[in-house]
Amino acid sequence: MHLYAAPLQGYTEAIYRNAHAEIYGDGPDRWYTPFIRVEHGEPRGRDMRQLASPLNANHRLVPQIMFRDADEWEKLVTAITETTDYREIDMNLGCPFPPQVRKGRGAGLLGRPDELARIAELMKGHPEVTFSVKMRLGITAPDEWKAVMPVINSMPLAHVTIHPRVAAQQYGGELYLDDFREMTAGTPHPVIYNGDIATPADIDRVASQFPTLAGIMTGRGLLARPSLVDEWREGREWTPDERLDALMRLHSRVAEQCEQTYQGETQILAKLKPFWDYILPSLDRRTAKAIKKAVTLPAYYRAIESVGSE
Ligand SMILES: Cc1cc2nc3c(=O)[nH]c(=O)nc-3n(C[C@H](O)[C@H](O)[C@H](O)COP(=O)(O)O)c2cc1C
């Protein structure tokens, strides 16, 4: 079973991925970049700089693109193939953010099979690239995939990653596993499952529930428990001390890189604090509050010292 790290905008950026690869053993088989998009008619500079970061050298990385139409798709694919060595590209058909969906990006494309058919044609012009798709079941109803799957099935894809929710649910609520099963059975592409994997036992459960899966992708679960993939590979849960020790080393590395990369306390803290977003619920209230409220680096580091000592 291959295990993949999901893209999370604002979280799984180069600094985090690099530090994770340094601290944890084999880690995920692949990381996916948060989506790279077009801004003012051009591939966004910040996204392309993230892709060119030397920090990406220690882990296997696949760029992900988010686009509204064939024109944006072509711009992004051309920018990646002409300016980088990446030859795998993941296509975002799942972003549920309403302004993007309304413009037809992310999950918005699930309602536009004609535009996807145009993109399928363009893919023929890039035989050097291995494409994959990351998608949801629909925008508002969990059977909308039925209308769009024929065109996705016709694309030359390495795999399809499916988050079995609809865009209207954002990131919570029921997982439509019956639709997921039906969709998996009806596609020739290898399928990767994505959604609510939080523990090694969750990986085992999903793997046995869906034995034909090519892989499992985890996002928030990996941020909350960065040892998740290593624990599963080792076939044993780490002790709380082992997990805490590795987590604090991960944090130190991320903090070091943030201090080197960004200027000024405010910006450094803005980049650093999200490290805790998915971990906070497992911390005691006082520590969580002190981390959230810290406005200077000394106050922040003091708050961090009490993680695990409660
Ligand atoms: C804050 C946040 C940012 C995300 N950014 C992206 C993104 O850039 N590209 C993408 O395909 N999915 C993105 N996702 C969706 C995740 O990759 C994943 O599909 C989703 O969180 C469900 O998996 P999980 O339950 O393992 O987290 C994002 C999710 C969250 C919560």
Side-chain angles (χ1 to χ4, degrees):
M1 180 61 70
H2 291 293
L3 297 179
Y4 302 110
L8 285 104
Q9 197 71 236
Y11 294 92
T12 59
E13 288 172 358
I15 287 179
Y16 185 88
R17 299 189 305 258
N18 165 271
H20 192 284
E22 278 183 10
I23 303 299
Y24 294 91
D26 289 340
D29 292 295
R30 284 199 203 104
W31 292 78
Y32 288 82
T33 69
F35 58 75
I36 300 168
R37 64 181 164 93
V38 168
E39 190 178 58
H40 309 306
E42 296 300 326
R44 193 169 174 235
R46 206 184 76 91
D47 298 342
M48 294 303 291
R49 282 194 296 280
Q50 273 277 323
L51 194 55
S53 168
L55 295 177
N56 294 332
N58 65 0
H59 53 282
R60 186 141 182 236
L61 184 66
V62 178
Q64 187 197 61
I65 57 173
M66 188 166 82
F67 44 90
R68 177 176 54 195
D69 51 26
D71 184 43
E72 284 194 356
W73 184 93
E74 186 63 59
K75 276 185 183 159
L76 291 164
V77 172
T78 301
I80 291 170
T81 52
E82 287 187 353
T83 66
T84 77
D85 291 334
Y86 293 100
R87 292 298 175 267
E88 288 178 56
I89 297 180
D90 190 58
M91 309 195 298
N92 183 322
L93 305 185
C95 179
F97 191 46
Q100 296 296 349
V101 175
R102 272 198 297 276
K103 286 183 189 136
R105 296 195 182 91
L109 275 163
L110 296 175
R112 298 165 64 218
D114 292 352
E115 197 57 38
L116 287 177
R118 272 189 277 281
I119 288 165
E121 275 305 303
L122 289 182
M123 289 168 85
K124 293 179 186 158
H126 292 279
E128 77 284 15
V129 180
T130 302
F131 291 100
S132 55
V133 157
K134 180 165 178 287
M135 66 185 291
R136 290 177 179 248
L137 298 179
I139 302 173
T140 52
D143 62 355
E144 286 167 20
W145 56 271
K146 288 180 182 164
V148 78
M149 238 20 221
V151 61
I152 290 175
N153 285 346
S154 77
M155 292 174 168
L157 300 177
H159 61 254
V160 179
T161 303
I162 304 169
H163 178 200
R165 288 195 169 99
V166 297
Q169 292 174 289
Q170 304 258 343
Y171 297 107
E174 181 184 357
L175 290 161
Y176 293 99
L177 295 183
D178 290 341
D179 277 279
F180 174 77
R181 189 185 298 281
E182 205 184 323
M183 195 169 161
T184 301
T187 180
H189 302 309
V191 171
I192 294 172
Y193 170 91
N194 166 239
D196 296 8
I197 296 287
T199 64
D202 289 339
I203 298 174
D204 286 329
R205 179 178 44 75
V206 169
S208 68
Q209 225 175 338
F210 303 104
T212 61
L213 286 180
I216 293 179
M217 177 184 275
T218 162
R220 293 164 297 176
L222 187 66
L223 293 180
R225 185 169 175 163
S227 51
L228 176 60
V229 168
D230 291 61
E231 292 183 68
W232 185 82
R233 291 199 203 286
E234 287 176 23
R236 73 172 184 103
E237 297 217 6
W238 290 10
T239 64
D241 279 352
E242 284 175 299
R243 283 167 55 187
L244 180 65
D245 173 65
L247 179 75
M248 297 317 284
R249 285 188 291 123
L250 176 67
H251 176 265
S252 297
R253 199 65 190 108
V254 169
E256 232 171 78
Q257 288 286 355
C258 282
E259 291 208 30
Q260 277 174 27
T261 309
Y262 300 106
Q263 305 292 316
E265 266 188 336
T266 310
Q267 213 199 350
I268 294 167
L269 281 171
K271 292 292 178 180
L272 204 39
K273 280 187 184 182
F275 180 91
W276 300 99
D277 281 354
Y278 294 96
I279 298 169
L280 285 180
S282 66
L283 302 182
D284 82 313
R285 289 229 318 270
R286 264 183 55 192
T287 305
K289 197 168 158 195
I291 293 174
K292 272 198 252 176
K293 286 186 68 172
V295 289
T296 65
L297 278 170
Y300 171 78
Y301 286 121
R302 265 198 310 280
I304 299 304
E305 271 171 29
S306 58
V307 173
S309 64
E310 54 262 5

